Amino acid sequence: MRKCLVSIAGIGMLLSAAGLLTTVTPKVRAQMPVAQNDLLAAGVAGTAVNMCLRMETPAKPRHAYHEEPPTGPLPATLDPAQFAENKTAFVVYSIAAKIPEMLYQEPCFCSCDKREGHQSLLDCYTGWHGYGCITCQTEVIFIYEQSKRGKSAAQIREAMENGDLWKVELNKYVEAHYAEYKHSVP
């Protein structure tokens, strides 16, 4: 059975809810129909229950990816040259083209696996999904930078699950690297 952990903030919420009972004077409470007294008490109890439910940690959803490197050819990512006028799309598709084997082994946290049937982050870049999805864009940069540091696909997944990928400053990274990628495309 799950336990409900009550934090300092949670205690404050309970006290605030309990304060509702004390703001109604005994004389007013005596004049209230019993049903309203019960509703007021139920509201305080409901607040406590809702607080406990919100504080339980839900299970992390598992997103699709391949645990092993690919054994055959992979589909090509879209050509970054077609995104030359959109700096972000150009940079992320340029990166995706460099590391398709790594993207094959990484999940996408935007839930495109459930909505669009993607099997890994690579699928976001074999089509147009990576063009407009900030989550996918952030992930591909994070994965690329971590792989350059020698991290394995499993280590990168773990870091992503721990939230490290959100340290990537997407716009700053794109501005810093756009010219570099622009010169590498014929």
Side-chain angles (χ1 to χ4, degrees), residues 5 13 16 22 50 62 72 83 93 141-142 144 156 158:
L5 303 174
M13 287 175 59
S16 296
T22 60
N50 284 335
R62 178 160 181 331
F83 305 112
Y93 276 89
I141 291 168
F142 180 79
Y144 179 60
I156 295 170
E158 183 178 343

Side-chain angles (χ1 to χ4, degrees), residues 62-125:
R62 178 160 181 331
H63 297 283
Y65 65 91
H66 306 277
E67 292 200 26
E68 300 297 324
T71 56
L74 292 172
T77 59
L78 294 183
D79 182 1
Q82 67 185 319
F83 305 112
E85 299 307 315
N86 180 316
K87 287 182 179 182
T88 301
F90 180 78
V91 168
V92 297
Y93 276 89
S94 295
I95 290 171
K98 291 180 176 200
I99 57 167
E101 293 83 9
M102 188 64 77
L103 298 182
Y104 176 84
Q105 296 177 75
E106 298 298 344
C108 180
F109 290 103
C110 80
S111 299
C112 58
D113 57 342
K114 289 161 185 59
R115 288 189 322 268
E116 299 177 33
H118 288 181
Q119 296 300 306
S120 69
L121 186 59
L122 177 60
D123 291 341
C124 299
Y125 292 94

